[in-house]
Amino acid sequence: VTQAATRGDDPDLPKRLVFDEGHHVFEAADSAFSVRLSGLEGAELRRWIRGKESGGSTRARGLKSRLDELVADDAEAKRLLEDVLEAARILPADNWLGRVTGAAAMTRFETFLMLVRAQVLARSNASGPHGLEASVNDPIDGLASGAHALSEAFFALAKPMKALALALARRLDEDADTLDSTSRGRLEASARSLKLRADTVAVWAGMAEAFGGPAPDTFVDWLEVERFDGRERDIAYCRHFVDPTKPFADIVLANTHGAIITSATLRDKAGDADNWQSADMRTGAQHLTVPARRLSVSSPFDYPTNTRVLIVGDVNKADPQPVAAAYRALFLASSGGALGLFTAISRLRATYSHIAAQLEAAHMPLYGQHVDPVDTATLVDIFRDEANACLLGTDAVRDGVDVPGDSLRMIVFDRVPWPRPTLLHRARRAAFGGRGYDEMLTRLKLAQAFGRLVRRGDDRGVFVMLDGQTPTRLLDAFPEGVVVERVGLAAAVEKVEAFFAHE
């Protein structure tokens, strides 16, 4: 979308963009305009430039094998290619993580990652299977100087990469009348890819060069050790905009003749059904020179008749066993067609292991994200095709589910999905309103999940929250007129059975 909005190939052509599911704009912009200087990113760039250098019977094609033939008669381009290949030795090679964790770093990049890891382990208060993070402030001995040394290596890599990209572009221009279509396509693709990657390396160089100095107010910088199932997977120096909709508005929206952003859950209607502040904040509309035009269309669905919300107050959410028992009882009461949502993978897995056999005995297949060895989209497809199946998942499942009909007739949350208190979230919380910002995000998550229950006029469903501490001020997430009841688990089971008995 960014490229489409800014290419400018024909200035006379109108450029208009439509963003469906507009509640994802903030996160999409956050991803697009962030920078991650990490071991995995560096290793991937090394493979792209130098190819696979060790192990296995096959070799991934590196830059040399892709360009050798194209620059065979261009002495300058050949020299620049060799300079790029040599400078890329600074990037992490195969098995870099083992060397970094074993204090056996081989390059300035790996030394920097080793120091980042040491900073995170020394400064982080967290523990357990999840990733660890730490501030860039108060760096340990050697970290700042290691970053500055790395910046020099990055500048030394970015310079020949940019020069080689220009040399390839010049070849396209000078030999336009003799290049065949295949060679032209390869030169264009290589020049474009080199330029994009050189720009990334230059950004890395700037971040590393400024490490230890005052951070710009528009950014949040932090260090992290990424973990999966308790095992270290990556080490990174991260930078995000506090407000990623600002560059989105400046780079994407400002370069169009018009944009439409649509979503049923863009507005946080807490206290005021006509409040558009959250929609402006999440889409970048507040940064536009010309104010956005706003339109709200009433839902065609009869939510008060066809849905119920139950808040269960007598389940100990801190104990996995009663939580799992509650899921089992509710899933059996609805005869399947249920989506269980969790705010932590560990609790999802614990629930799955407790209830899978009993649901299977009742002829209700149970599927689980992070349990079944298939991707999320496939799990949702399987779930959609079986009216009595149940699915356990996290936010990714909630966002990706579109299951009209009986296959999804109940949603159960294990607890209120408050935002995780990461360093990035804390900075945004301070910038966007403190506790009110947390509550807005949580209401929007609840509204998005609730909206999955009714996808067409004849859908019916029950939304259950297994958290008696759900604040009343979050209940504006649900459509006006929907009955919300605070009950015990036994009463919730009875109400679920009665609700679906009247279908």
Side-chain angles (χ1 to χ4, degrees):
V1 170
T2 303
Q3 288 181 347
T6 59
R7 282 175 62 188
D9 293 350
D10 187 342
D12 297 323
L13 274 179
K15 304 180 187 70
R16 297 185 175 93
L17 304 176
V18 178
F19 297 86
D20 193 15
E21 303 291 344
H23 53 274
H24 291 305
V25 162
F26 190 96
E27 287 76 18
D30 191 29
S31 175
F33 296 108
S34 63
V35 182
R36 182 178 177 85
L37 169 52
S38 80
L40 285 179
E41 295 275 352
E44 176 59 31
L45 179 58
R46 180 171 179 137
R47 280 190 292 272
W48 185 82
I49 294 174
R50 296 184 58 85
K52 188 170 177 60
E53 298 172 277
S54 63
S57 58
T58 61
R59 288 181 63 85
R61 296 187 71 202
L63 199 58
K64 185 176 179 63
S65 64
R66 294 195 297 273
L67 294 183
D68 246 354
E69 181 184 344
L70 296 174
V71 301
D73 57 351
D74 188 329
E76 181 187 3
K78 288 177 66 176
R79 177 184 61 78
L80 290 170
L81 175 58
E82 291 302 323
D83 289 347
V84 171
L85 295 173
E86 182 61 29
R89 291 182 182 276
I90 189 63
L91 301 169
D94 291 345
N95 303 315
W96 66 269
L97 185 58
R99 289 191 296 275
V100 168
T101 56
M106 293 175 58
T107 68
R108 275 181 278 182
F109 199 139
E110 293 181 6
T111 297
F112 174 70
L113 295 174
M114 184 174 66
L115 291 165
V116 167
R117 180 176 182 268
Q119 169 89 356
V120 173
L121 296 181
R123 303 285 189 260
S124 175
N125 295 322
S127 61
H130 304 298
L132 306 177
E133 60 178 23
S135 169
V136 297
N137 299 326
D138 187 24
I140 61 173
D141 289 345
L143 179 54
S145 59
H148 300 157
L150 181 58
S151 73
E152 297 174 0
F154 283 151
F155 282 124
L157 173 58
K159 183 177 180 179
M161 289 179 72
K162 290 181 177 179
L164 180 56
L166 289 172
L168 298 180
R170 185 178 63 251
R171 174 80 183 275
L172 282 165
D173 179 49
E174 293 176 351
D175 298 345
D177 57 339
T178 60
L179 284 170
D180 60 75
S181 297
T182 299
S183 297
R184 172 173 291 279
R186 290 169 60 192
L187 279 168
E188 287 178 340
S190 296
R192 183 170 57 251
S193 296
L194 265 168
K195 174 65 166 56
L196 288 171
R197 287 170 171 81
D199 288 345
T200 296
V201 175
V203 172
W204 286 353
M207 287 174 60
E209 184 180 43
F211 191 94
D217 293 339
T218 52
F219 295 119
V220 183
D221 288 4
W222 75 94
L223 310 174
E224 73 175 27
V225 174
E226 181 182 321
R227 290 179 171 180
F228 184 76
D229 281 344
R231 300 178 61 181
E232 293 183 21
R233 182 174 179 270
D234 199 8
I235 301 167
Y237 171 24
C238 306
R239 168 169 289 179
H240 284 237
F241 278 87
V242 174
D243 181 1
T245 68
K246 181 62 166 66
F248 173 73
D250 293 344
I251 296 172
V252 179
L253 298 182
N255 286 285
T256 69
H257 293 95
I260 297 175
I261 302 176
T262 70
S263 172
T265 51
L266 264 178
R267 289 190 300 151
D268 176 24
K269 292 173 278 190
D272 183 357
D274 295 321
N275 181 14
W276 287 85
Q277 182 179 357
S278 63
D280 291 349
M281 180 189 300
R282 305 295 287 173
T283 61
Q286 77 273 31
H287 300 301
L288 298 176
T289 303
V290 179
R293 298 181 182 181
R294 303 175 177 89
L295 173 66
S296 177
V297 180
S298 299
S299 172
F301 303 132
D302 184 358
Y303 291 113
T305 299
N306 293 323
T307 63
R308 295 289 184 272
V309 176
L310 304 175
I311 300 174
V312 178
D314 61 352
V315 174
N316 181 3
K317 65 182 182 181
D319 188 338
Q321 198 151 352
V323 169
Y327 271 97
R328 181 189 64 238
L330 291 164
F331 286 2
L332 290 171
S334 70
S335 298
L339 172 63
L341 293 172
F342 292 80
T343 55
I345 296 172
S346 59
R347 292 196 294 273
L348 183 158
R349 288 174 169 163
T351 297
Y352 183 96
S353 65
H354 273 90
I355 70 175
Q358 292 158 304
L359 293 185
E360 291 285 350
H363 307 290
M364 293 164 50
L366 178 65
Y367 304 104
Q369 184 193 19
H370 303 291
V371 177
D372 291 299
V374 294
D375 61 85
T376 299
T378 302
L379 278 178
V380 172
D381 289 341
I382 295 170
F383 175 65
R384 183 185 294 111
D385 291 339
E386 301 184 42
N388 63 335
C390 299
L391 174 62
L392 306 182
T394 58
D395 272 1
V397 168
R398 182 203 73 216
D399 292 339
V401 166
D402 184 11
V403 183
D406 286 344
S407 291
L408 178 53
R409 52 189 179 269
M410 183 169 67
I411 291 177
V412 183
F413 257 103
D414 72 326
R415 60 179 65 188
V416 174
W418 296 110
R420 287 183 58 218
T422 62
L423 291 172
L424 177 59
H425 174 72
R426 288 171 186 162
R428 288 177 175 161
R429 187 180 192 272
F432 295 139
R435 190 183 75 173
Y437 178 65
D438 285 352
E439 292 175 356
M440 178 198 75
L441 294 181
T442 305
R443 276 190 295 267
L444 292 175
K445 278 190 177 184
L446 294 176
Q448 289 154 18
F450 180 88
R452 302 297 166 178
L453 279 175
V454 179
R455 311 300 287 175
R456 63 190 191 193
D458 59 348
D459 280 355
R460 304 178 77 240
V462 179
F463 185 99
V464 183
M465 178 68 71
L466 295 177
D467 191 342
Q469 295 178 313
T470 303
T472 300
R473 58 186 178 274
L474 296 184
L475 302 184
D476 286 328
F478 306 115
E480 186 177 355
V482 171
V483 175
V484 180
E485 298 180 84
R486 293 183 182 268
V487 296
L489 179 60
V493 169
E494 290 180 2
K495 289 180 180 293
V496 169
E497 290 174 341
F499 182 82
F500 292 116
H502 289 92
E503 288 187 321

